[in-house]
Amino acid sequence: MYAGLDSAVYLRIYLIGLKIFVPIAFLAWAMLVPVNWTNSTLERAKLNNITSSNIDKLSISNIPVSSQRFWSHIVMAYAITFWTCYVLLKEYAKVASMRLQFLASDERRPDQFTVLARNVPPDADESVSELVEHFFLVNHPDHYLTHQVVYNANKLAKLVKKKKKTQNWLVYYKNKYSRNSSERPFMKTGFLGLWGNKVDAIDHHESEIEKLSKEIVAERERIADDPKSIMPAAFVSFKSRWGAAVCAQTQQSRNPTIWLTEWAPDPRDVYWPNLTIPYVSLSVRRPIIAVAFFFLTFFFMIPIALVQSLASLEGIEKAAPFLKPVVEKDFIKSLITGFLPGIALKLFLIFLPTILMIMSKFEGFISRSSLERRSASRYYLFNFVNVFLGSIITGSALEQLDSFIHQSANAIPKTIGVAIPIKATFFITYIMVDGWAGIAAEILMVKHLIIYHLKNFFLVKTERDREEAMDPGSLGFHIGEPRIQFYFLLGLVYATVTPVILPFIIIFFGLAYVVFRHQIINVYNQKYESAAAFWPDVHGRVITALVISQVLLMGLLSTKKAAQSTPFLLALPVLTIWFHRFCKGRYKPAFIIYPLQEAMMKDTLEHATEPHLNLKGYLQNAYIHPVFKASEDDEDGEEVLDENWENESVVVATKRQSRMNTPVPSKVSGGSSPSLPETVQELPQP
């Protein structure tokens, strides 16, 4: 894998779109288009002043009520369902195989040997670190290797970040002074340098760095001495992948609410701030976010309306009366009324992924990949409600919710189904503008180019700033994948209703595959590797789109008085959901658990090829918080990580006097632990 399994499987989503829709398009154009076109329903409707376009003549709207021709659409719906499920089945099996092969052939990674133990119960006799070592020595005596407790280093991280920022400013002013040695640079100490005392910039930042260095040392000492700074969680590493797999996939205690173990994410994938959230509070945070997302979805138009009202002529005059003579000019007036509301709407939508990511972070997910997967699922649901349903019903989500509440459940598919053919032209335009133009903007990197020039003008002070501004970032799964799924939804819904939309979707998938293949190989920087853990979500959303298309087709046909043929569609959602459950039971475990057989094979191969591997040295500091690691950027060469931190997960003293539950004597009670270095001398037996 040149760019990792995540990138390879992401590209396969576009290929799946081509595999599904190319055969469907040929079949639909050969079967449904002639059936729809050879009617005169819309021609007769024009006599009653009902407007329609030529595209509508290719849709199901051109078939008269109670016609036998609806059987062709039902046959087509079955063909689409079976072909889509066949492609998904093959892809699920392929991706699951690729994942297992990737885990087997991939280079050694710390997460293959490590689990995250959470909800460690408090103990009056031992610290969290001592308790973790004791527990795993007892319950995994042959496989436990070492561990690293989780510290609440959020405040320390802020101080380190502030120090790096201050050092960057110091470099900037030193460079400025080196270019003009005749004049020392000065600055004001107030907000953004706009007011405050005028001081020498170099001396000020040097004193600030010295002050922050002392605060960092004090905070490190506080973390080391304060038991409250140690969270009831730890990264526990094992001597083999087999031992880690057994621990991660089994219940550790008779009480299922303590000693909870799960696979540790890749060290690059860990989102450290959320590790400090108490495990109990997660059960409270997630319902809160669920309610907040509901209101965000259905009341989304309210803040947009407020923003657009402020962006209107009346809103500006009311908020800033002194600008009235300016905004009353013809050019300014036309600019405000014509462009400002639309720009305000676009800007608000731009911030939507960021809002969803903040909500996911509040929920407490511990890895960046899981944060992106949760944001992607919410982004897809938001698009379905506010873009798909909102465009079809031509109203805000709040109005949709009100209308749906006041009608029976079986009337909802009819309401939406009637409006679907009418909106075909709109969605064709949407695909061309959002899809095709979006791909063109992707290859040109317009967004990143604009951001770079803005940063370069306002923020870039040193070469490090310039390098950070030029960073293109990663693929952005939480933004890109929901957009792809929206085109799956459009294609599956309109395949039997207005097949003319399919060529536009095929062109989108083809162009997107070529462009993103280039971007992944040559442009984007991969931030983490989750071994395609997002694939079950992708599969589930395609299945959801397929079920939605079937239900809406039933609603549409019921309005066409096709009473005899409509019941034959009832089997499709049932078969599709059964197929999803089958795939979930057959292939999803490969994305959740690691087969012991695969783990043993990899361990055996590694022992044969590297018999003298120092695994403990490799894993010992893999999961130490980044702010505790040595800072290569500090000019004074200060080591942020000292020997005490390095040995924290190695030398562990237990205060327990009983040996009944431990396989070997502890350090205090009379011996050395297997996790202690060989240089530690055993204490004499009492």
Side-chain angles (χ1 to χ4, degrees):
M1 301 296 175
Y2 183 86
L5 187 62
D6 283 345
S7 300
V9 173
Y10 182 83
L11 285 178
R12 290 189 74 89
I13 304 176
Y14 293 105
L15 289 179
I16 291 170
L18 295 174
K19 290 178 182 179
I20 290 177
F21 290 115
V22 169
I24 288 177
F26 279 108
L27 185 60
W29 276 79
M31 180 177 175
L32 293 185
V33 170
V35 171
N36 296 337
W37 179 264
T38 56
N39 287 277
S40 57
T41 303
L42 295 178
E43 291 292 336
R44 291 194 298 268
K46 286 184 178 180
L47 300 176
N48 298 324
N49 295 325
I50 298 178
T51 59
S52 62
S53 63
N54 290 330
I55 291 179
D56 294 328
K57 294 179 181 179
L58 300 175
S59 73
I60 200 173
S61 301
N62 202 30
I63 297 181
V65 175
S66 302
S67 174
Q68 294 297 317
R69 296 193 176 199
F70 289 120
W71 284 104
S72 60
H73 297 81
I74 294 176
V75 172
M76 186 66 190
Y78 271 89
I80 291 173
T81 298
F82 285 116
W83 175 248
T84 304
C85 290
Y86 173 78
V87 172
L88 289 177
L89 179 65
K90 292 295 183 181
E91 287 297 322
Y92 215 144
K94 178 64 177 177
V95 174
S97 175
M98 290 171 63
R99 174 180 168 87
L100 294 176
Q101 183 180 359
F102 177 80
L103 294 175
S105 61
D106 187 27
E107 295 181 359
R108 186 187 308 108
R109 298 192 310 178
D111 54 291
Q112 297 173 345
F113 300 87
T114 307
V115 302
L116 175 61
R118 307 184 75 175
N119 226 24
V120 177
D123 191 285
D125 297 325
E126 294 184 333
S127 66
V128 172
S129 182
E130 296 165 346
L131 186 60
V132 168
E133 183 192 40
H134 181 203
F135 180 85
F136 285 97
L137 281 176
V138 170
N139 297 285
H140 300 269
D142 299 327
H143 300 282
Y144 167 76
L145 181 62
T146 185
H147 74 278
Q148 175 59 54
V149 294
V150 175
Y151 294 93
N152 186 351
N154 290 348
K155 182 178 179 181
L156 179 60
K158 292 179 181 179
L159 290 173
V160 172
K161 183 179 180 180
K162 185 177 180 180
K163 181 181 177 181
K164 288 183 178 180
K165 184 178 179 181
T166 307
Q167 288 174 330
N168 201 34
W169 275 107
L170 178 62
V171 172
Y172 166 73
Y173 283 114
K174 283 185 175 180
N175 291 339
K176 185 177 180 180
Y177 181 63
S178 64
R179 290 192 295 266
N180 185 11
S181 303
S182 60
E183 184 179 354
R184 296 278 292 185
F186 285 87
M187 59 169 288
K188 293 183 179 180
T189 57
F191 178 72
L192 295 177
L194 299 177
W195 58 74
N197 298 328
K198 192 174 182 180
V199 296
D200 185 289
I202 295 178
D203 294 340
H204 173 74
H205 284 93
E206 286 179 345
S207 62
E208 284 293 315
I209 291 173
E210 183 179 357
K211 178 182 175 183
L212 287 171
S213 297
K214 294 179 180 178
E215 291 181 5
I216 289 173
V217 172
E219 179 63 17
R220 286 173 52 219
E221 292 176 351
R222 187 194 69 80
I223 294 175
D225 299 334
D226 186 6
K228 294 182 179 180
S229 65
I230 301 178
M231 305 305 297
F235 290 100
V236 183
S237 298
F238 295 82
K239 299 176 182 177
S240 64
R241 296 172 180 83
W242 189 93
V246 170
C247 181
Q249 297 160 188
T250 55
Q251 182 174 316
Q252 303 302 311
S253 170
R254 67 176 63 182
N255 183 351
T257 63
I258 61 174
W259 292 109
L260 304 177
T261 54
E262 59 183 295
W263 280 107
D266 184 89
R268 298 174 300 168
D269 193 19
V270 176
Y271 186 68
W272 294 97
N274 278 3
L275 285 174
T276 62
I277 299 175
Y279 189 82
V280 178
S281 69
L282 298 180
S283 58
V284 178
R285 287 170 172 253
R286 290 176 184 176
I288 293 175
I289 291 299
V291 174
F293 177 70
F294 174 83
F295 283 100
L296 175 67
T297 302
F298 287 99
F299 291 86
F300 184 71
M301 296 304 295
I302 295 178
I304 290 180
L306 292 175
V307 172
Q308 290 186 326
S309 66
L310 292 175
S312 66
L313 193 64
E314 296 79 6
I316 293 176
E317 291 179 352
K318 185 177 180 180
F322 59 90
L323 293 177
K324 187 174 181 179
V326 179
V327 299
E328 287 294 339
K329 295 182 179 180
D330 293 339
F331 174 75
I332 303 296
K333 186 175 182 179
S334 60
L335 183 66
I336 292 174
T337 57
F339 293 98
L340 206 56
I343 293 173
L345 174 62
K346 288 294 183 182
L347 289 176
F348 198 90
L349 289 173
I350 286 174
F351 292 114
L352 178 63
T354 304
I355 295 172
L356 296 178
M357 180 59 73
I358 292 173
M359 295 172 71
S360 299
K361 290 178 179 179
F362 181 81
E363 283 188 279
F365 293 99
I366 62 169
S367 65
R368 301 181 188 276
S369 58
S370 58
L371 288 171
E372 292 198 354
R373 291 199 300 272
R374 176 54 66 93
S375 297
S377 64
R378 291 207 168 106
Y379 198 2
Y380 175 75
L381 183 58
F382 186 92
N383 279 341
F384 173 72
V385 173
N386 283 282
V387 179
F388 182 72
L389 295 183
S391 300
I392 288 176
I393 302 177
T394 317
S396 68
L398 187 60
E399 294 171 352
Q400 300 166 32
L401 182 63
D402 181 68
S403 63
F404 290 163
I405 289 175
H406 293 88
Q407 62 180 320
S408 60
N410 59 356
I412 295 176
K414 295 180 182 180
T415 304
I416 303 174
V418 172
I420 284 177
I422 304 173
K423 291 295 182 179
T425 306
F426 167 79
F427 281 119
I428 289 175
T429 307
Y430 179 87
I431 293 169
M432 295 174 67
V433 174
D434 183 76
W436 296 6
I439 295 301
E442 176 65 33
I443 193 64
L444 294 174
M445 301 290 287
V446 175
K447 176 182 175 182
H448 294 85
L449 185 63
I450 294 173
I451 292 176
Y452 165 73
H453 282 293
L454 290 175
K455 288 183 176 180
N456 190 38
F457 186 78
F458 292 105
L459 302 177
V460 169
K461 303 178 294 295
T462 63
E463 286 301 318
R464 179 191 295 177
D465 289 339
R466 194 178 305 278
E467 291 177 3
E468 292 178 355
M470 293 178 65
D471 183 15
S474 58
L475 196 58
F477 173 82
H478 64 295
I479 301 175
E481 194 271 343
R483 291 177 177 173
I484 305 172
Q485 293 293 344
F486 188 73
Y487 292 103
F488 275 100
L489 176 65
L490 292 180
L492 292 172
V493 167
Y494 278 95
T496 54
V497 177
T498 310
V500 71
I501 202 175
L502 294 177
F504 295 90
I505 293 177
I506 291 171
I507 292 173
F508 164 76
F509 279 116
L511 290 175
Y513 174 76
V514 174
V515 168
F516 276 100
R517 186 177 184 273
H518 169 271
Q519 301 295 86
I520 287 172
I521 294 176
N522 299 309
V523 178
Y524 287 126
N525 297 321
Q526 190 177 11
K527 301 298 184 183
Y528 61 83
E529 178 60 59
S530 68
F534 58 81
W535 176 256
D537 297 332
V538 174
H539 174 89
R541 283 192 271 275
V542 178
I543 290 292
T544 301
L546 189 59
V547 173
I548 290 172
S549 69
Q550 296 160 355
V551 173
L552 295 184
L553 181 61
M554 281 191 286
L556 179 59
L557 291 181
S558 64
T559 63
K560 292 286 188 176
K561 298 182 180 180
Q564 295 180 349
S565 55
T566 305
F568 285 91
L569 287 172
L570 293 175
L572 285 181
V574 176
L575 292 174
T576 305
I577 294 173
W578 173 85
F579 167 77
H580 176 60
R581 292 178 63 86
F582 167 78
C583 289
K584 186 177 180 180
R586 172 64 180 85
Y587 297 111
K588 191 175 181 179
F591 296 86
I592 301 175
I593 60 178
Y594 190 32
L596 297 181
Q597 181 185 21
E598 297 286 335
M600 182 59 74
M601 290 172 57
K602 183 67 174 175
D603 288 334
T604 304
L605 178 63
E606 189 172 75
H607 291 159
T609 55
E610 300 180 75
H612 303 295
L613 172 67
N614 181 16
L615 189 59
K616 187 172 184 178
Y618 172 71
L619 296 172
Q620 185 168 306
N621 297 326
Y623 284 95
I624 290 180
H625 198 292
V627 297
F628 296 144
K629 294 183 178 179
S631 176
E632 298 177 356
D633 299 325
D634 289 346
E635 291 184 349
D636 56 359
E638 177 188 358
E639 293 289 328
V640 182
L641 176 67
D642 59 17
E643 293 182 358
N644 292 332
W645 291 106
E646 292 180 357
N647 295 331
E648 179 65 31
S649 61
V650 182
V651 181
V652 181
T654 177
K655 299 178 181 178
R656 291 186 182 274
Q657 299 299 319
S658 173
R659 303 181 194 171
M660 296 184 62
N661 295 326
T662 186
V664 291
S666 66
K667 179 181 176 183
V668 173
S669 60
S672 64
S673 164
S675 68
L676 299 179
E678 295 179 357
T679 56
V680 178
Q681 298 295 325
E682 293 187 359
L683 298 177
Q685 295 289 345

